[in-house]
Amino acid sequence: MSESVDTYHPGLEGVIAGETAICCVDQGRLLYRGYDIADLARHASFEECAFLLLHGELPTTEQLALFKQQIDGERELPGAVVDVLRAIPRQAPMMDVLRTGVSLCGNFSSAKSQGRSSLLTRAVRVLAAVPSLIAARLRVLDGKWPLEPKPGLSHAGQFIYMAFGREPTELEERVLNLTLVLYAEHEFNASTFAARVCTSTLSGLHSSVVAAIGTLKGPLHGGANEAALSLIEKFQSSAEARRWVEEALAHKQKIMGFGHRVYRNGDHRAFILEPYVDELARMRNEQWRAEVYHAIKETVWAKKQIHPNVDYPCGLVYHFLGFPSDIFTPLFVMARVAGWCAHIIEQHVNNRLIRPRSRYTGAPARAFVPLTER
Ligand code: ACO
């Protein structure tokens, strides 16, 4: 083993920290298991993408039906989990509630072994539990009891039904499904890497997902979709937005929903989602918000040549769908848990402990001074 710690890349920028067959992210393309994100966004359901990520191939009709049946069979939360959702203080952030909920659900998961099929069973449980947890917490906060899942709905539709107690419209279901497809996977991003580090110690699937949820929460990662909407909501007009953004950039302030560690020519997912900002704004008669959206985007580009990432259009799209902003990042979890679980399994079946080195910048070696002499 090399003792060299000379090559240091702050934030691990540009470092190849592992191999994966799950996803390819580069300037020209975003592929899930070899399939272009544009094709998946146009043609696939989230459930097909989740199957693809977990199993490596798109499902046949029979495989997809069985997969959906397995997820549906795991949607109901144990009573004790609902009790905890009721006990958590109202003001707790939804991402913290979700982190606790997934952790708690892990204690009810009877699969003991860490073989591939056992990990797949647990992955299905977490995929099913996340929307149920978000929906149940929303209902509890509203003074209501969680709803039982309604058989036959899609993953996106089921969430809308369990959260809001009504059947989804075709548009809501289609657009939520699209965002789930776009958010499902993205190579070695911070939360996925956290999940792989945790997995590499053989800690177990639920622990790794909990590590990933904690990592996604931050506004430099998944939390940016909520932060991006709250920026857009600050302004009543595009002129006001332009002025504020120019000032903020002059003071080196970060604009949430812009920039990306990997993409320099724009985020493929943001390009796919952006047309829905204008379409939904027209339908909701809130064109002025879309104008603010474009004004911020144009100003950031004019001043810094930085493109929006997927979180920028997504915050506004979720707002137009009527979702409360504190579930935006939890909805990201609902999608990304598919990618996390695929990485957890990939890491597990070809594992080596992830343990990098650091460059020491502390005091030189020195003599110990006894307490009485300090
Ligand atoms: N607003 C203003 N300036 C920015 C932004 C931004 N959002 N992002 C990067 N920059 C600027 C930096 O200030 C820096 O400028 P300088 O060279 O003049 O000092 C330059 O671009 C490089 O920025 P870094 O922060 O070094 O880029 P890094 O690769 O470390 O950061 C990150 C990537 C964290 C995503 C960053 O762009 C950011 O903070 N964006 C806002 C948060 C966000 O939208 N996160 C979501 C990411 S996508 C996702 O997780 C789904």
Side-chain angles (χ1 to χ4, degrees):
M1 187 189 76
S2 162
E3 277 301 310
S4 166
V5 287
D6 291 344
T7 321
Y8 167 49
H9 299 266
L12 299 184
E13 181 164 5
V15 170
I16 303 294
E19 290 185 322
T20 183
I22 299 168
C23 180
C24 167
V25 178
D26 66 32
Q27 307 307 324
R29 64 210 161 146
L30 167 57
L31 309 176
Y32 294 176
R33 301 278 191 189
Y35 292 98
D36 196 291
I37 191 65
D39 291 332
L40 294 169
R42 200 170 306 122
H43 302 296
S45 66
F46 170 74
E47 293 90 318
E48 281 174 274
C49 286
F51 186 100
L52 170 69
L53 293 168
L54 290 169
H55 293 274
E57 295 296 336
L58 284 167
T60 61
T61 308
E62 292 75 26
Q63 286 169 329
L64 183 60
L66 179 62
F67 187 60
K68 285 178 164 178
Q69 200 184 324
Q70 287 166 342
I71 297 174
D72 281 342
E74 300 287 348
R75 288 195 190 278
E76 210 159 321
L77 299 171
V81 173
V82 176
D83 289 344
V84 171
L85 293 180
R86 289 160 64 88
I88 296 174
R90 286 194 76 79
Q91 67 276 14
M94 193 58 115
M95 280 294 278
D96 291 350
V97 175
L98 188 55
R99 188 199 58 220
T100 301
V102 168
S103 184
L104 195 57
C105 286
N107 296 309
F108 293 86
S109 195
S110 57
K112 288 278 177 269
S113 97
Q114 294 225 51
R116 194 170 190 282
S117 78
S118 170
L119 287 171
L120 279 168
T121 303
R122 273 183 244 196
V124 165
R125 288 188 184 145
V126 186
L127 267 171
V130 169
S132 299
L133 286 163
I134 307 167
R137 175 67 176 175
L138 283 176
R139 301 268 307 170
V140 162
L141 287 177
D142 214 13
K144 295 175 180 151
W145 198 253
L147 280 173
E148 286 192 7
K150 188 169 184 167
L153 290 175
S154 69
H155 204 58
Q158 189 68 257
F159 169 74
I160 291 170
Y161 174 76
M162 287 196 294
F164 307 114
R166 57 173 176 77
E167 296 268 342
T169 65
E170 185 278 330
L171 179 78
E172 281 172 336
E173 193 172 13
R174 179 161 50 85
V175 178
L176 178 57
N177 178 73
L178 170 65
T179 64
L180 296 180
V181 168
L182 297 178
Y183 269 143
E185 164 56 12
H186 213 230
E187 193 228 39
F188 272 39
N189 57 86
S191 55
T192 301
F193 192 58
R196 290 193 76 128
V197 171
C198 187
T199 303
S200 82
T201 71
L202 305 182
S203 174
L205 185 135
H206 280 81
S207 303
S208 301
V209 171
V210 169
I213 293 174
T215 311
L216 189 79
K217 180 187 167 191
L220 294 191
H221 192 5
N225 54 13
E226 191 179 339
L229 177 69
S230 78
L231 176 69
I232 294 168
E233 283 186 322
K234 264 182 199 289
F235 311 112
Q236 296 302 315
S237 72
S238 21
E240 201 188 330
R242 280 182 213 279
R243 270 196 304 278
W244 188 95
V245 172
E246 279 173 14
E247 180 90 348
L249 290 175
H251 289 90
K252 294 216 161 276
Q253 206 172 314
K254 287 245 173 115
I255 310 297
M256 292 297 126
F258 286 81
H260 197 275
R261 175 58 67 78
V262 179
Y263 296 127
R264 296 298 167 211
N265 308 323
D267 179 335
H268 306 289
R269 303 162 300 174
F271 295 130
I272 293 171
L273 198 53
E274 196 166 83
Y276 288 88
V277 166
D278 295 313
E279 186 183 331
L280 292 168
R282 268 194 306 278
M283 289 182 67
R284 290 277 305 250
N285 215 9
E286 285 188 50
Q287 286 96 326
W288 63 274
R289 266 204 215 284
E291 283 162 22
V292 167
Y293 170 97
H294 289 293
I296 295 173
K297 192 178 102 169
E298 285 157 18
T299 312
V300 175
W301 179 255
K303 296 287 164 192
K304 292 283 285 189
Q305 288 76 56
I306 297 174
H307 290 279
N309 58 59
V310 63
D311 279 341
Y312 187 57
C314 197
L316 196 49
V317 162
Y318 282 162
H319 161 81
F320 288 140
L321 291 181
F323 298 153
S325 62
D326 63 344
I327 69 162
F328 292 2
T329 315
L331 290 174
F332 190 160
V333 174
M334 179 173 152
R336 184 58 60 83
V337 76
W340 290 336
C341 289
H343 280 273
I344 290 165
I345 294 168
E346 185 178 61
Q347 178 69 38
H348 196 91
V349 298
N350 189 16
N351 190 47
R352 184 145 197 244
L353 178 72
I354 298 174
R355 201 298 188 193
R357 297 296 311 276
S358 62
R359 179 185 287 171
Y360 181 60
T361 60
R366 46 189 168 161
F368 179 77
V369 182
L371 185 59
T372 51
E373 290 168 31
R374 274 175 246 156

